[in-house]
Every structure is written in C-alpha cells, then in structure tokens.
DNA sequence: TTCCACTTATATGCATACATATTTCCGTGA
DNA sequence: TCACGGAAATATGTATGCATATAAGTGGAA
C-alpha cells in the first residue's frame, strides 16, 4: 500500500550526529583526559561547523552521562571514580543476570541459539591458538557479540538501553581489553572468562533460570575485578 | 579556598528547560494522544519562544524515550503498547529489587530509616482515614517518596537514572493512581500495596537480602497487574 | 486508470548575530 | 593586606534567516 516512508533509509547524516560520534569516541578512547573542558566555539572551529550542531552533540553526550557540568554552564569530560565504575558493573551484573534468567525461562530461539554457539566456537578457536595479539580485536568482538546477543534476545528495549548506558563509561567498556598485556596470566583470565560464557549458555539451554542468572552476575563481577585492578592506576588519589 | 562555583545555585532557568518540562507533563498526563506530531514552529508560536529552545526540548524528550520519529525527521508522541509497559515494569522490578537487596546487605543509615518510617506511618494514617479522594495526592507522594528513598539510598547514580527512566512511561508512572476510582475494591488494593511496603522495609531492617529483593519484585509485579488491567482499555487494538 | 518524473510545499538542519548570565579582573576603600 | 564593588571579558542562551532534505502534489504518457 502506502510507502513505509521513514527511518530505515537514513540517506543523510546530520553534522550533529557526526560530531557526537567523534567526541564520544575520543572520550571513550581516553583521548580527552577527565576534566577536559569541551567548549562550543573551539570545537566548532576544529570541526568546521557552526556552534549549533556542536551544541546538540554536547547535549547528547551529556545525557549519556559522559560529561559533567563545568564553569559557565559548560561541559567537561566526566571524571569517573573507581566507585562509579563499580556501580556501573553492579548494574550490568543485575541487568545481564536478569536477561539470562528471562531467556532461560522463555527459551532460546533457534537463531539466537546459533549465534551464541558461533560465539562460543569462535572464542574456543581463538583460545586454542593462544589468543595472539593480532587477533585480540576478534576476541573483543566475540565477547561483545555474545553479551549483546543475550541482551537483545530479550527484546526489551529498556533492558537494551540500560545495558548500553553502562557501557558508556570509560574503563568500564570492553573496548579496553587491549590495555592488558597478553602474558600467561592474562591468557588464563581470558580462558576463565570464556569458561563462564560456556556455563552461562549451557544453563540457559538447560532452562536453569536462577543458575543462569547467578553465573552471569558472577561473570560480570569477575570482569570488574580485572578492570578495577587496572583502573586503580588511574585514580586521582 | 576557591569558591565552589557552579551547579547548586541555578538562579536561571533556560527556556528550553521550561519547554521540556511543559511538554513532558503534557505527555505524561495524557494531554497529547499517542502519535500526536510535535512540530517546532507551532510549539514555538504557542510558547512564545523561538524554534531553538523548542528544538532542544524535543531532543531531550526524545532521548528520554517519550517521542518517536515522525514523517520528516520530526517527532511525534510515542505510542506505548502494553508490552512496552510490561517491559518497563519488569525492569523496575529488577532494579528496585536490586536496591532492596543491596540495602539489606549494607544496612540503612539512621536518616534513611527515619524517612522510610515516616512514609510507612503516613500511609498507615491515610489508610486509617479511608484514603479519601482529597488526599489521594498525598498517597501518591508517599508512595513516590518511599520508592525514591530506597533507590536513592543506594547512592548508585546509574540505578537512580535507570529507575527514573522507567517512570517516564505514560500509564506506567505512579502519577496515574488517580485514574482508579476509590471504591472498596481499590481501597483494598491500596491497603495490600502498603502491606507490601511494610514487609519490604522490615526485611531490609532484618538484613534479609534475598527476601527484601523478592518482596519488592513481587510488589512491582503486583502494581503492574493493576495498571495493565486499566491500560488494556487504551490499547490500539 | 496507473505509474513515473517533476515541481512545489513544508519542516527540519545549519549558520550567524545578538542577548544574557557568570566569571574574572581591577581599582577603590577601609 | 584584604574586602568589596563594578566594569570588562567570555561562554552559553536565544532569535532569525537561509539551505536542504523529504513529503506531497501535479501532470503527462503508457
């Protein structure tokens, strides 16, 4: 009948979105030190646009929690304390645990089951080959894919949104795995994490709701242990 | 030393914020039917401001999830299905349950304990007097205060933020309690809800973590039952 | 009649100029 | 030396006009 009309095409990217993506990456990658003031005029000059789209980008990042108020109603890059990172992980554990319990109760679709299986095998393969440095990005992708698959499978937009928000925390994001040198100890840690993955998926397949939830919470708590060890070095003291 | 400088004073309210508050209230109060297009020019004329602050207000509400994309990259009031309302409640149960477990584990401060006690007594008093219609707003406030106190006491900004977001759902917000006529049945429902409140606080005081969490999850699920019964009448069919 | 191409209309995206709020910096006075 | 007050500086808040993308409307050809 009438044309579907909107969204999915998106043949045009607003400058405000471009700016937001750029700034978000800089913050999450640590290019901007915590506390760095983000002012509209300098940024607009640097990016060759007017203040308007920069303003909108800052507004977006602010609502994502990446910025905090500065001197003149301005924004600066938020300083995350170890406590806040822990808070983010606690919520992640709570939310992803909820996801696992839910999936164990309602069951996995064939498609989701297959995607999880692919992640598990992919991880197995990477580990079997010693997780060489050149493939650490793959490991990271696999990890993200597995967690994202579990969350998305619940088809609860609030859940997806909240989990996403806990990822928008510098140091708390999985994108920082590469900070760890891949020595023997860290290889062992990765192996353990992947054992968790296997256990979680198995529990869901076995429809063991409480167990699946517990394993995921434990897995996230374990991950935080690793991150906190590293992140301590970044604390302002 | 140097002055504290910023935030807490806020002796100035941007028009964009005023507009956002106005529009948010209209949406949550149901003044705008789901699907109503919100265009910049008409709104700016109505509110006597330029498009700029309206634009910003729409951007804010959009990020809060109250709007969805319309025809020309415009926004319209989001249509919430019963499924989505259920999703919001499920997450609320998960999150507030987490809060109760946490508080049972770390213990209540004297101040928080006192505030909870005040809420409980306030509710008792309202119920003892039959919860007359003129005091239903008080009941609503008491309920909000109790839930908010529990959440805030965790001092986890992510938790606060997420719970807040689940409240930004028309029909799912406690502000709709007044939709229920206060007949005998509904009085009974309110009484039961307050019994839940007592049980939850007692479990936390007794440091019964799992029990406190369960009671809260159950309380939220119970609330959803009441809302869904009502909300069914609003479904587009 | 139906479909396609083109034109027209309209609402948002962006740039710019100006208004205002806050801060900083001086200068004055005790 | 320090406290106070006011002027200047600076960054954000808002208004306005133009650019552009998208939808709607129009007309002609198959």
């Amino acid at each position: 009948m009438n044309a579907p009309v909107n969204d999915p095409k998106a043949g045009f990217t607003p400058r405000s979105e471009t700016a937001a993506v750029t700034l978000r990456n800089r913050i999450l990658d640590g290019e901007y030190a915590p506390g760095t003031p983000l002012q509209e005029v300098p940024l607009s000059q640097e990016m060759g646009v007017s203040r308007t789209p920069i303003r909108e980008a800052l507004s977006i990042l602010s609502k994502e929690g990446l910025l905090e108020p500065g001197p003149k109603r301005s924004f600066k890059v938020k300083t995350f304390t170890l406590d806040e990172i822990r808070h983010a992980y606690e919520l992640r554990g709570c939310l992803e645990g909820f996801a696992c319990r839910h999936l164990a109760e309602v069951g996995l679709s064939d498609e989701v089951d297959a995607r999880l299986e692919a992640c598990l095998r992919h991880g197995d393969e990477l580990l079997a080959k010693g997780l060489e440095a050149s493939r650490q990005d793959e490991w990271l992708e696999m990890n993200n894919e597995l967690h994202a698959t579990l969350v998305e499978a619940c088809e609860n937009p609030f859940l997806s949104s909240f989990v996403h928000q806990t990822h928008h925390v510098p140091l708390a994001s999985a994108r920082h795995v590469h900070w760890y040198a891949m020595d023997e100890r860290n290889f062992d840690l990765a192996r353990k994490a992947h054992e968790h993955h296997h256990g979680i998926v198995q529990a869901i397949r076995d429809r063991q709701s409480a167990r699946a939830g517990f394993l995921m919470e434990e897995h996230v708590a374990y991950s935080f242990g690793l991150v906190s060890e590293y992140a301590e070095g970044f604390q302002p003291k």
Side-chain angles (χ1 to χ4, degrees), chain A:
Chain A
M1 292 301 170
N2 48 28
V5 180
N6 51 8
D7 239 9
K9 59 182 157 210
F12 166 70
T13 307
R15 303 181 199 282
S16 56
E17 198 180 309
T18 308
V21 170
T22 302
L23 292 175
R24 186 186 299 114
N25 284 335
R26 288 184 186 173
I27 294 171
L28 291 177
D29 286 342
E31 282 182 50
Y32 287 144
T36 303
L38 294 187
Q39 295 189 340
E40 297 173 6
V41 176
L43 287 175
S44 65
Q45 287 174 347
E46 182 211 317
M47 298 196 189
V49 298
S50 81
R51 278 176 53 208
T52 311
I54 297 292
R55 237 181 117 65
E56 204 167 322
L58 291 178
S59 164
I60 292 170
L61 299 180
S62 163
K63 276 178 256 300
E64 287 179 0
L66 286 174
L67 307 180
E68 58 189 358
K72 279 183 171 180
R73 281 173 176 270
S74 68
F75 292 113
K76 57 183 186 179
V77 177
K78 179 162 169 57
T79 303
F80 284 93
T81 66
L82 187 52
D83 264 356
E84 286 174 292
I85 297 173
R86 182 170 46 75
H87 288 149
Y89 267 91
E90 285 173 356
L91 262 298
R92 257 192 72 190
C94 172
L95 294 166
E96 297 201 30
F98 171 84
C100 290
R101 287 195 299 277
H102 176 79
L103 290 176
E105 285 165 14
V106 304
L108 294 171
S109 72
D110 288 346
E111 189 234 333
V112 169
D113 192 288
R115 286 172 58 188
L116 293 174
E117 182 62 27
C119 289
L120 292 177
R121 288 186 185 280
H122 192 181
D124 291 341
E125 184 220 327
L126 290 172
L127 285 172
K129 294 183 181 169
L131 197 54
E132 57 247 44
S134 65
R135 300 186 72 183
Q136 284 186 31
D137 282 353
E138 261 185 74
W139 173 265
L140 212 157
E141 257 183 68
M142 179 279 296
N143 186 71
N144 284 342
E145 164 77 6
L146 189 142
H147 283 268
T149 300
L150 288 171
V151 169
E152 296 306 325
C154 294
E155 296 180 336
N156 183 331
F158 290 93
L159 179 63
S160 301
S161 165
F162 294 167
V163 171
H164 198 71
Q165 289 178 59
T166 65
H167 284 10
H168 278 170
V169 176
L171 295 182
S173 166
R175 70 165 67 196
H176 292 104
V177 167
H178 64 274
W179 282 342
Y180 299 93
M182 192 41 67
D183 57 16
E184 188 146 347
R185 171 166 174 276
N186 285 323
F187 176 77
D188 201 54
L189 297 176
R191 198 175 47 70
K192 273 186 187 151
H194 200 54
E195 280 174 16
H196 294 170
H197 292 160
H198 275 279
I200 290 163
V201 172
Q202 192 55 52
I204 294 173
R205 285 174 174 158
D206 292 343
R207 313 297 287 264
Q208 298 175 322
S209 163
R211 181 163 170 250
F214 169 77
L215 288 175
M216 179 55 97
E217 284 187 30
E218 183 60 23
H219 173 60
V220 173
Y222 176 81
S223 303
F224 171 68
L226 305 186
V227 169
S228 72
E229 199 174 300
Y230 169 77
E232 272 171 0
F234 281 74
Q235 284 311 298
K237 180 55 64 63

